[in-house]
Amino acid sequence: MKFSFRTIEPWPGVQAEDWSSWTWQFRNGLTKAEDFARVFTLSDSEREAFTRGTGFQVRSTPYYAALADHTDLEDPVRRMIVPRAEELAPQGQQISDPLGERKHSPRERVIHRYPDRVLFLVTDQCSLYCRYCLRKHFTGQEQAFVGSKDYEAALNYLRSATGVREVILSGGDPMTLSDGRLERVLFDLRALEHIEIIRIGTRMPVVCPMRVSEETVKMLRRFKPVYLMTHFNHPRELSADAAVALERFVDHGIPSFNQMVLLNGINNHAAIVQALSRRLLFLRVKPYYMFQCDPSEGSEHFRTSVDQSLAIQRELWGRLSGLAMPNLSLDVPGGGGKVGLVPNFETQHENGERTYSGWDGVEGVYTNPTSTVEPENLEPYLSEWNELKSQNYGKG
Ligand code: SF4
């Protein structure tokens, strides 16, 4: 099956050469009411948000704003970038640091919540500020690249944290850094023997696909294994340019995953998630997570109820293959980490027998086996695995 992807034309008066330059897109970001008013007819609610100020920066690349239907107030792309008065009205759950990251931060810019993974916030800048951002307390404070003292302290911490296997570069958006800066970070991380995997969390393929050049991707590849974690929320965002950017990562051997957020009035419909997931999979990007929107300040109007999210996930169960299915997940407010949310297919549980009703209502009973091997009996085999690790997984 072949999908058609929309081609986004430069705005009248903008040279194609400028439009396709990521630094031009960055320099010409829309930040003020006047900038947005040139593209959208602002509603009273949007004007009020600009006038009173929401406390969270506003920015979009021209490219991303051009993805919107400019006549539609409820356009999904518009809703993700243009602030509204709802952001100013504190309602429901409002938490400045919903993931409790500050209390899991042993050094500036380092978040260490799980034993084997560390988040390294290399910049606080994004080329676009998503109105529902979970890290509003940090993102967009214009501190940019981590200062040299904090950078060294973060590296020293990682050097001593030998139980860490994965470093996730995040922010902000690490791909707002120049190739030179990014290369320096990757070089320093690769010098740490215990770091096996480096992930780059970036929205650039979505909001500024021109950032993803051949040179950049080839540079990333030199530090393999490097994984791309990107963040598409809506099929509208998968333009022809975005598709080229994603394929460039995959063609250069960079495994690519998508983390979406379920957003009220934007993508909280099974058919929208289905379209997004299928298109991503077609481009060889694995739909990985479908997050419940975190209760950061001013995000109440973006949140779906857990019940609705579970209903969407249940519907997707029959519509999407396992490869295309994102895992519904919620971050426990206050720093409890992620928990998976799975629709309940069990209808009865008695004497080791469980009855399940599948996605289309077909029921069956699963009976536990009469005996199983105790997990401790497998422990002698673990030494083989440890040896493999010390041999760099057979890569020499
Ligand atoms: S790209 Fe990520 S960090 Fe930046 S504003 Fe959006 S959600 Fe927040």
Side-chain angles (χ1 to χ4, degrees), residues 95-359:
I95 310 177
S96 120
D97 175 17
L99 270 51
E101 291 181 331
R102 286 196 193 104
K103 69 180 179 210
H104 291 114
S105 179
R107 299 287 182 279
E108 280 293 315
R109 309 283 189 122
V110 174
I111 297 164
H112 195 171
R113 173 68 186 83
Y114 299 93
D116 65 339
R117 275 154 282 168
V118 159
L119 214 59
F120 187 7
L121 308 181
V122 284
T123 177
D124 73 329
Q125 286 202 317
C126 298
S127 56
L128 169 153
Y129 292 109
C130 314
R131 303 318 304 161
Y132 55 85
C133 179
L134 63 90
R135 203 169 287 135
K136 287 180 180 172
H137 64 92
F138 170 81
T139 308
Q141 310 289 323
E142 298 294 358
Q143 304 157 59
F145 187 60
V146 54
S148 54
K149 212 167 124 235
D150 288 339
Y151 183 74
E152 285 308 321
L155 271 188
N156 281 337
Y157 179 79
L158 288 170
R159 209 167 276 129
S160 62
T162 51
V164 171
R165 296 276 172 271
E166 292 185 29
V167 175
I168 301 148
L169 298 183
S170 185
D173 191 326
M175 287 196 75
T176 56
L177 301 178
S178 65
D179 280 3
R181 283 228 154 114
L182 208 46
E183 189 173 6
R184 156 95 197 271
V185 176
L186 293 168
F187 181 85
D188 288 340
L189 291 176
R190 270 288 159 253
L192 309 179
E193 264 190 22
H194 54 284
I195 306 297
E196 295 174 6
I197 305 288
I198 301 172
R199 298 194 220 170
I200 298 186
T202 176
R203 240 193 144 208
M204 281 297 202
V206 189
V207 304
C208 190
M210 40 292 275
R211 171 68 184 93
V212 186
S213 66
E214 284 277 323
E215 297 70 44
T216 302
V217 177
K218 280 182 183 157
M219 180 274 287
L220 297 178
R221 182 189 173 153
R222 290 211 327 271
F223 299 98
K224 68 181 181 181
V226 171
Y227 281 60
L228 168 74
M229 316 305 294
T230 192
H231 177 175
F232 286 81
N233 287 324
H234 196 280
R236 173 80 65 79
E237 297 174 327
L238 271 174
S239 69
D241 291 334
V244 168
L246 289 176
E247 294 229 280
R248 194 161 274 160
F249 279 106
V250 184
D251 286 346
H252 285 82
I254 298 179
S256 299
F257 294 80
N258 188 64
Q259 312 188 133
M260 64 173 288
V261 181
L262 268 180
L263 296 166
N264 182 37
I266 292 175
N267 61 10
N268 58 329
H269 191 298
I272 295 176
V273 182
Q274 174 183 307
L276 176 67
S277 296
R278 284 196 177 155
R279 286 177 179 221
L280 285 166
L281 196 65
F282 181 74
L283 296 166
R284 295 169 288 160
V285 177
K286 164 82 183 103
Y288 178 40
Y289 273 123
M290 177 162 73
F291 285 117
Q292 192 67 17
C293 183
D294 295 302
S296 65
E297 287 170 340
S299 299
E300 168 86 1
H301 55 301
F302 285 117
R303 293 200 287 124
T304 56
S305 71
V306 169
D307 306 290
Q308 188 186 64
S309 305
L310 282 167
I312 290 170
Q313 181 84 333
R314 190 178 186 102
E315 206 174 327
L316 289 172
W317 223 269
R319 291 178 180 224
L320 286 178
S321 72
L323 268 183
M325 178 72 89
N327 300 314
L328 179 62
S329 181
L330 172 150
D331 271 287
V332 178
K338 287 183 185 56
V339 289
L341 302 176
V342 180
N344 186 11
F345 293 105
E346 188 181 286
T347 54
Q348 214 178 330
H349 179 192
E350 245 170 28
N351 305 326
E353 288 193 343
R354 288 181 161 86
T355 306
Y356 295 100
S357 174
W359 63 273

